[in-house]
Amino acid sequence: NKKKLRMASSQLGNILGAQLANAVKIVEEQVDEELKRMETLDEDDIEVIRRKRIEDMKKAQSKRQDMITMGHGKYAEVADEREFFEATKKSNKVVCLFFTASSERSKIVDKHMERIAPKYIGTRFIKIDAERAKFLSTRLNIRVIPTIAVIVNQNTTDYIRGFDDLGGHDEFKTEVLEARLARSGVITLEKKQEVKKEKKIIRCGNDSDSAEDW
């Protein structure tokens, strides 16, 4: 049996080695083709490519500036439901914190949102006082304060209610919230961020900040 296992392992290794060698060969051929193509380009072709890249950069910069004009790149409060709906109509991706003035945990989320918003220009970060937006809070079934709502293309696609998804305690890191938002698809992490698993703290007694029916 051991001999058969060694033979099977050897065969598998040979197969994987052949597959890897074939993959390397394909990549090398693609690189060779690209180099040959580049060698055949004349000055006019190079100028066309350069102009296209410049045009693409200008378009990207213009789009970025338009988003900043709409409020992207910063974390701001909207006064009422009207401003909330205006924000979600203008921006395809919105992260909104539902808070109350008396909620200490809402202030913790504020701190993290302030840090995150400038990093992800493609997403609008806002907050709204749930007590001043009763209709909206009822419509979106906001029962826990704080609640972060994720709105994509004017549809609410995800909720982060309280801190259960963020480690279950107040001392979670900003990167934990970033990773949770990335899982919802509303932001894309700029670089691979490894988030250590937070040790969940079980708190005894009632917590008025995260209780339902606020």
Side-chain angles (χ1 to χ4, degrees), residues 47-58:
E47 180 63 19
V48 169
I49 293 173
R50 188 184 72 84
R51 287 180 180 177
K52 186 178 185 305
R53 288 180 177 173
I54 291 174
E55 187 64 27
D56 289 343
M57 290 173 64
K58 287 181 178 178

Side-chain angles (χ1 to χ4, degrees), residues 72-206:
H72 289 237
K74 61 183 179 181
Y75 175 51
E77 181 177 351
V78 294
D80 51 31
E81 283 103 340
R82 181 182 60 80
E83 287 191 14
F84 171 87
F85 287 119
E86 284 181 0
T88 57
K89 284 179 181 178
K90 291 179 180 178
S91 302
N92 293 331
K93 295 181 178 180
V94 177
V95 176
C96 180
L97 168 68
F98 285 81
F99 74 98
T100 60
S102 61
S103 168
E104 291 300 320
R105 283 189 163 183
S106 293
K107 296 174 184 177
I108 294 174
V109 178
D110 275 340
K111 176 184 67 176
H112 295 293
M113 297 275 264
E114 290 279 3
R115 295 172 182 170
I116 294 174
K119 295 173 63 176
Y120 302 97
I121 299 296
T123 302
R124 179 89 186 269
F125 287 82
I126 60 176
K127 65 178 178 178
I128 189 167
D129 189 330
E131 291 181 335
R132 295 209 312 252
K134 294 283 189 180
F135 168 77
L136 181 62
S137 298
T138 300
R139 178 174 175 178
L140 297 185
N141 196 26
I142 305 299
R143 298 175 290 107
V144 175
I145 296 296
T147 286
I148 298 172
V150 172
I151 302 99
V152 178
N153 296 324
Q154 299 185 51
N155 294 311
T156 306
T157 60
D158 198 4
Y159 293 99
I160 304 173
R161 293 185 170 97
F163 290 176
D164 286 348
D165 288 354
L166 306 174
H169 58 87
D170 296 357
E171 295 79 21
F172 66 89
K173 295 183 179 179
T174 303
E175 290 80 5
V176 173
L177 178 54
E178 280 184 273
R180 178 62 181 82
L181 290 172
R183 288 200 299 274
S184 76
V186 74
I187 66 171
T188 300
L189 296 181
E190 294 178 336
K191 61 181 180 179
K192 188 175 181 181
Q193 298 180 14
E194 293 186 7
V195 180
K196 294 181 180 179
K197 187 175 182 181
E198 297 282 339
K199 183 178 179 182
K200 189 169 183 178
I201 298 175
I202 307 298
R203 299 184 183 276
C204 298
N206 295 325

